[in-house]
Each structure stands twice: as structure tokens, then as C-alpha cells.
Amino acid sequence: MSTTTDTGVLAARFQETFGAAPDGVWQAPGRVNLIGEHTDYNEGFVLPFAIDKTAKVALRVRDDSRVRMLSTFGGHGLVEADLSDLEPGSGEGWSRYPLGVAWALKERDIDVPGFDLLLDSDVPSGAGLSSSHAIECAVISALNELTGAGLAAEDLVLATQRAENVYVGAPTGIMDQSASLRGAKGQAVFLDCRDQHVELVPFDAESSGLVLLVIDTKVSHSHADGGYASRRASCELGAEILGVKALRDVGMERLEEASGLLDETTMKRVRHVVTENDRVLQTVDVLGSQGPASIGPLLDASHVSMRDDFEISCPELDLAVDTSRANGAIGARMTGGGFGGSAIALTPVGQEQQVRDAVVRSFADAGYTAPDIFTVTPAAGARRLA
């Protein structure tokens, strides 16, 4: 996907497409998860941040229940639907996300009118950077304002989760939309997924002489597939056997006990979640006391846990992480739901090009599709642009 950097260009294209000016243009970012993977639906802790890649929507409400939508990123024609016909599972491709948001708001007895929508995004699709939630958060920000619903950020988070879980059929937690809706420039979002408590934690890699590289492996993934769902089911089984509401309630001290109660696979899944929660808390402490240059070992340990215990990595992700570390990155891990997507590598500025070149070379040598490598910085959350 490529984005029109000029909001006015998007508004002008909207008018050309739909014959009237939009009511406004809204933007919501994708996200990178610094650490805390598959802990969100276990009511644990995560530390994502909103990134400087975004989905924009120009939107105008209609006086009927029709929805007309078009995207700028090629190969997709005009999508039409009627709000009165919405039911979980309807819609195809990217259109499911705006339709799911409208459906979720209607479920809350909000009078959602029909609308025309033009979407533009530069959040890479399938890369583990939450392109779908960026779309949802931009749309729900627009509809929340234009309907006068006045929902707080916490309610917008839950509505988008409902859209994902029920309408789209992806059993995701609340991390992605929380980062997109509640992010801030220069800050990571320390989120307690049990009660939605948020603390903003400074994460300024640049001031520490670092860059955060994203390595998009081009291995596309989907949260609606069986791998994600089976991991969640294992976590729920582990919590049930251990007699807790969620794995968030299992401390490091209970892992030895758990190993005597759980089958090998369930134990591995539980161990990842318990240790990952602990790594998130450690990372927040280290960022506050020592800064970004000291979190590398925690990023490395997170990847090992996801590779070996949660088993959601893939050869391309492992190669990206291992090559980055061998060529100067101080810490690296896969990010996102797994089974493809992206890795992140926290890298000294002086080593950035060496890491980039080495990863590209290693992918070519392995016969993999060339990765897309770029830097990200913590950016502002969803907002109206015009």
C-alpha cells in the first residue's frame, strides 16, 4: 500500500469519486510491539507503540443506510453494502474492517448512518504491523465523531475488538487498537490488558544513538487462521487447569508446579506467556532506569520464547533475527502475532547499513523473497486531520 501524503489530495480524490466533499479526513497508525506477544488476550502486559505509518480515511455520512467504499491501493473496485444487511462474516478483504466497526457500533445501539469512504494506507499488509486495526481505528474515530456517540478511548478499543473477534472472526486481544488509539509521539504504551490502564513510557531510541529497524519478511500472516486460535485455546486450557482466571495470574514461581500438571505442549505455551509478562515488566523498568540501549537481552529472550515455547516463528523471521544480531543489532525479535510478518532489530546508528545489507544478503542466499527494511519511530495515535 502507498499513501497520499497530502490530506488535501485524498479529500480531492474523494470528491472526484463520490461527487461531494468528505465530512473530514481521519488517520490512525499501525503499531510495532516492542515486547509482550500473545499476552494481551491472557489479560497480561504489553508494550507497543504507534508508528509513523498510517491508514487515512476520507468519510462522508449519508442520509440512507448504504455504504460505498474505495481504496487507493489498486486492484480493488468500489465496494457497496447496506448497514441493514450486516452480519458477522459478511464482506471481503479490507472492506470487512470498516463494516465490522459499523456493525460493532450498531450493536451498542449507536445510530450509524450509511457512509462513503475512501481509504489510503502505507501500513504494510500482512507484515505484523496491524494494518487492519489502523483501518478500524481510523474509521471508528470518524464515526464516533460524526454520530456524536462520544465514546471514550476504552470503549472504542472494546468496539474494535468486538469487530475483530465476532465480525471478522479473528480472536485477537486489545493491544493493537490500544496502541493505535492511545499512542503518543516518542512514547511506548504500557498497557495492562485486564483493566486497560495505560502508562506512557518514553522510548526515544534516537537520543541513545539507536534506530529500530523493521524487517518485513514478506511472509504474509492472518490472525483469522487456525494457528493463532489454537495458541489461544492452549492458553485458556492452561489457565483452567491451573485454576486461574487468566494466565496473567500465574507468576514465575508457579512454573515448576505447572510443569507437573500440564501436558508438554500446553506447558510450553503457558511458560511463554508467564515469562513474556515478566519481560514486559522488566523492559518498562529498564527503559525508565537505564534507557533503550539496555533492553537488547530482553528482546532476544522474547524471540527465543516465541520460537521455542509458543512456536509462532518461521525460518524467515529466525534468519532476520539471527542475522541482525550477528551484524551489530543489540537486540532483535519477531513482532506481531507470528507465522510470518516482521522482525524488529534495535541497532546502533553506525551499524544500521551493515544490518540492512547482511539481512538482504542472507535472504537472497536462502532463496527467500527480498525483505522490506525500514525504520519506525513512536508516533501520535488516531486523530482527525481535516
Side-chain angles (χ1 to χ4, degrees):
M1 300 182 197
S2 62
T3 186
T4 56
T5 55
D6 188 340
T7 301
V9 171
L10 188 63
R13 182 164 177 182
F14 180 97
Q15 181 154 0
E16 178 183 324
T17 301
F18 296 110
D23 291 328
V25 178
W26 289 259
Q27 172 177 288
R31 67 96 189 93
V32 155
N33 192 20
L34 190 60
I35 197 163
E37 225 65 76
H38 288 266
T39 50
D40 58 346
Y41 56 79
N42 289 292
E43 299 187 13
F45 305 103
V46 293
L47 190 63
F49 60 83
I51 63 174
D52 48 348
K53 291 186 177 292
T54 64
K56 293 189 181 88
V57 294
L59 189 146
R60 178 174 63 89
V61 297
R62 300 172 54 91
D63 57 7
D64 56 23
S65 60
R66 290 182 64 204
V67 175
R68 299 186 299 172
M69 299 182 292
L70 186 69
S71 72
T72 65
F73 42 92
H76 304 279
L78 186 70
V79 176
E80 298 192 63
D82 195 290
L83 294 180
S84 61
D85 297 331
L86 294 187
E87 58 182 28
S90 58
E92 295 182 0
W94 70 270
S95 71
R96 295 175 298 162
Y97 304 116
L99 294 176
V101 163
W103 174 84
L105 290 175
K106 284 169 64 69
E107 258 210 331
R108 288 174 168 255
D109 295 323
I110 294 169
D111 185 15
V112 180
F115 54 88
D116 294 332
L117 179 151
L118 180 61
L119 167 68
D120 188 61
S121 177
D122 66 354
V123 186
S125 178
L129 303 180
S130 202
S131 57
S132 61
H133 284 96
I135 296 170
E136 290 171 345
C137 290
V139 174
I140 204 167
S141 296
L143 293 178
N144 187 46
E145 179 179 337
L146 295 175
T147 62
L151 296 179
E154 294 84 351
D155 291 318
L156 298 179
V157 164
L158 294 177
T160 51
Q161 184 191 25
R162 181 77 173 161
E164 280 278 329
N165 291 176
V166 180
Y167 191 90
V168 177
T172 57
I174 64 170
M175 174 181 68
D176 296 347
Q177 55 271 68
S178 294
S180 187
L181 288 164
R182 306 178 74 178
K185 185 176 181 180
Q187 310 282 326
V189 179
F190 176 39
L191 171 67
D192 183 335
C193 295
R194 171 160 284 171
D195 62 8
Q196 289 205 60
H197 176 70
V198 161
E199 293 180 23
L200 295 178
V201 178
F203 180 67
D204 184 358
E206 185 178 355
S207 68
S208 298
L210 301 167
V211 294
L212 190 71
L213 291 173
V214 174
I215 304 164
D216 178 1
T217 66
K218 299 299 185 179
V219 179
S220 185
H221 73 167
S222 171
H223 281 172
D225 67 14
Y228 190 103
S230 69
R231 298 309 188 278
R232 183 163 185 165
S234 288
C235 293
E236 291 168 352
L237 174 62
E240 181 182 352
I241 293 173
L242 294 173
V244 294
K245 181 175 182 286
L247 291 183
R248 181 261 187 63
D249 300 310
V250 180
M252 295 281 287
E253 71 282 354
R254 287 198 67 188
L255 285 179
E256 184 175 351
E257 172 199 349
S259 67
L261 298 173
L262 305 173
D263 66 84
E264 182 181 359
T265 297
T266 306
M267 179 60 204
K268 289 167 70 174
R269 307 302 186 243
V270 168
R271 183 167 56 221
H272 165 72
V273 173
V274 173
T275 58
E276 187 80 344
N277 271 324
D278 186 63
R279 282 187 288 271
V280 173
L281 297 176
Q282 289 187 59
T283 301
V284 171
D285 286 343
V286 171
L287 284 173
S289 61
Q290 302 173 53
S294 297
I295 66 171
L298 291 162
L299 303 183
D300 294 342
S302 176
H303 185 77
V304 170
S305 182
M306 289 185 287
R307 183 191 67 200
D308 298 345
D309 279 347
F310 224 60
E311 297 179 287
I312 55 172
S313 191
C314 66
E316 291 88 347
L317 284 168
D318 292 339
L319 182 61
V321 167
D322 293 344
T323 304
S324 297
R325 290 290 289 113
N327 287 275
I330 65 171
R333 64 185 286 274
M334 58 150 283
T335 187
F339 311 105
S342 297
I344 56 174
L346 190 59
T347 304
V349 172
Q351 300 291 112
E352 177 186 349
Q353 194 59 49
Q354 180 173 316
V355 170
R356 286 176 178 267
D357 292 344
V359 171
V360 169
R361 189 166 56 248
S362 70
F363 270 54
D365 290 345
Y368 297 151
T369 299
D372 188 15
I373 305 174
F374 50 90
T375 62
V376 292
T377 57
R383 65 195 190 277
R384 182 172 183 152
L385 297 177

